Amino acid sequence: MVFGRKQKKVVPFRTSGELDAMAAAGAVVGRALVAVRAAAKPGVSTLELDEVAEQVIREAGAIPSFLGYHGFPGSICSSVNDRVVHGIPSKDDILTEGDLVSIDCGAILDGWHGDSAWTFGVGNIIEADRLLSEATRLSMEAGIAAMLPGNRLTDVSHAIELGTRAAEAEHGRHYGIVDGYGGHAIGREMHMDPFLPNEGKPGKGPQLMVGSVLAIEPMLTLGTTETETLEDDWTVVTTDGSRAAHWEHTVAVTEDGPRILTLRPE
């Protein structure tokens, strides 16, 4: 009996053509997020934002990937203020001046998934909330920069954590890295293994290859790292009521550096 060489575990990877197909799905998500942000004004409900996103997605010939996913009732997750993720759009959830809104959106086009999230303010927001969103974006961008061939999964996790700590030093305050939530591989399914933690030691886990794709999504708070899920079995909130932010891009490893597959129109 002959034993072959043991193969290294790798993050799932795609061909260049498949990455282009994922980028097409991601572009639909990007357009939906831009449309939602433009519509997010005082007096508008999160259900109305959901309708905006669904219209953009369906007009592109795509399918909202969140709608019906394990029973989720919306095309977006709309998480306002202390809601971290998975907020359910509602006609009774009315935006007001100063709200901090995180919108997570996904679309399926020709069988491929795009997944992205964006945090922004409604009207004028306080400086602490603006900096929280900026810190989360910077953490995501640090993770994106680690999407290089030969790196391991937790090199991305560690980069996200270092991005958070760098933002803390720049802003002169602490940010909580939400415990238990993180990114994931993505392709013809929205959530695929491996899970991507938003902190941790480098050099562990499956290897990144050219074509590997991860959804990178840090979630930070102005206080606690702990969360709880509300009675709707979806909405995740901070246990101390502190505000939260969530940024996400679907990103591929290429020979020419990281490729964001969920670009938003200017």
Side-chain angles (χ1 to χ4, degrees), residues 119-219:
T119 295
F120 52 82
V122 177
N124 294 314
I125 61 172
I126 63 173
E127 183 69 356
D129 288 353
R130 185 189 71 79
L131 290 175
L132 171 65
S133 180
E134 179 182 300
T136 312
R137 174 182 62 81
L138 292 171
S139 300
M140 176 190 69
E141 290 177 353
I144 290 172
M147 289 287 285
L148 300 172
N151 271 357
R152 293 195 173 274
L153 182 75
T154 67
D155 291 327
V156 181
S157 302
H158 189 62
I160 294 169
E161 181 180 356
L162 291 181
T164 302
R165 302 309 172 211
E168 288 178 330
E170 181 179 342
H171 297 166
R173 64 152 303 127
H174 168 76
Y175 295 114
I177 300 175
V178 173
D179 186 45
Y181 291 87
H184 50 91
I186 182 172
R188 288 196 175 273
E189 299 174 40
M190 180 162 55
H191 290 125
M192 301 173 61
D193 289 332
F195 170 76
L196 174 67
N198 284 324
E199 56 186 332
K201 295 181 179 179
K204 298 181 179 181
Q207 196 169 47
L208 299 175
M209 308 283 289
V210 170
S212 290
V213 182
L214 291 171
I216 297 175
E217 49 179 323
M219 288 146 267

Side-chain angles (χ1 to χ4, degrees), residues 21 36 48-49 70 86 89 96 105 112 176 185 196 245 260:
V36 166
E48 289 175 284
L49 298 184
H70 295 295
H86 305 161
T96 62
C105 183
W112 294 99
L196 174 67
I260 297 173

Side-chain angles (χ1 to χ4, degrees), residues 82-127:
D82 67 331
R83 283 169 265 174
V84 183
V85 287
H86 305 161
I88 297 175
S90 168
K91 64 180 177 61
D92 299 320
D93 188 17
I94 308 298
L95 299 180
T96 62
E97 182 86 8
D99 280 341
L100 189 66
V101 181
S102 297
I103 302 295
D104 195 355
C105 183
I108 310 167
L109 183 66
D110 297 328
W112 294 99
H113 285 257
D115 189 5
S116 184
W118 196 6
T119 295
F120 52 82
V122 177
N124 294 314
I125 61 172
I126 63 173
E127 183 69 356

